[in-house]
Amino acid sequence: MRLICVLFIVFLSPSANAQIKEVRLKTLLSICEAAQSTNDLGTIKNIANQIKDAPLQSDQILASRMRICLSAANGGETIKINAEALLKSISEKMSAIESDCNALLEIAPNIALDNKTCRTIFISNN
């Protein structure tokens, strides 16, 4: 009986509900992006119809993905994701983060080692 109560509370909690909605939104956006890469306008419109009333996301990347899908469904230019440009951007940002972590290690070693991102970088570089 306790298990049923716990499950009932978890499924009705706003944070669990929000996480489920976000996971569903991300899935729908992935489908929309795949449909854009194959120029499947029917699927793009179907997905856009499902996400059109979703609240605007505070996550800028998610919000941008929503706008792109909605724009593609409404006859806007289909924007294809440039994987090479994204990889270059990630590499550049990673280099900057590594540099910042190394600088932090010099001026505040304890803080640098306590930082999850920096700690991961330090471990992976050895």
Side-chain angles (χ1 to χ4, degrees):
M1 183 63 174
R2 283 186 184 165
L3 179 60
I4 293 171
C5 290
V6 170
L7 290 174
F8 185 72
I9 290 170
V10 168
F11 286 119
L12 291 181
S13 74
S15 108
N17 193 23
Q19 288 175 343
I20 291 169
K21 286 181 182 179
E22 184 174 324
V23 168
R24 181 174 183 275
L25 177 61
K26 286 180 179 179
T27 301
L28 289 171
L29 290 172
S30 293
I31 294 168
C32 187
E33 290 160 355
Q36 288 176 62
S37 69
T38 61
N39 294 319
D40 182 356
L41 189 57
T43 300
I44 294 168
K45 287 185 177 192
N46 183 319
I47 299 301
N49 191 45
Q50 293 181 58
I51 66 170
K52 69 180 180 190
D53 296 325
L56 187 60
Q57 300 296 307
S58 59
D59 178 339
Q60 294 300 316
I61 294 171
L62 210 49
S64 175
R65 291 174 66 195
M66 286 178 67
R67 283 190 296 274
I68 291 168
C69 183
L70 292 169
S71 175
N74 293 319
E77 183 178 324
T78 302
I79 301 170
K80 293 193 177 186
I81 297 171
N82 183 340
E84 285 183 38
L86 284 175
L87 287 173
K88 182 180 177 189
S89 174
I90 290 168
S91 293
E92 290 169 354
K93 290 173 183 167
M94 193 63 196
S95 292
I97 291 170
E98 287 177 3
S99 177
D100 289 347
C101 285
N102 287 327
L104 183 61
L105 184 63
E106 289 182 26
I107 61 172
N110 290 338
I111 295 172
L113 294 173
D114 285 340
N115 181 275
K116 182 180 173 184
T117 302
C118 291
R119 188 172 54 245
T120 302
I121 290 170
F122 298 144
I123 291 170
S124 69
N125 286 338
N126 288 329

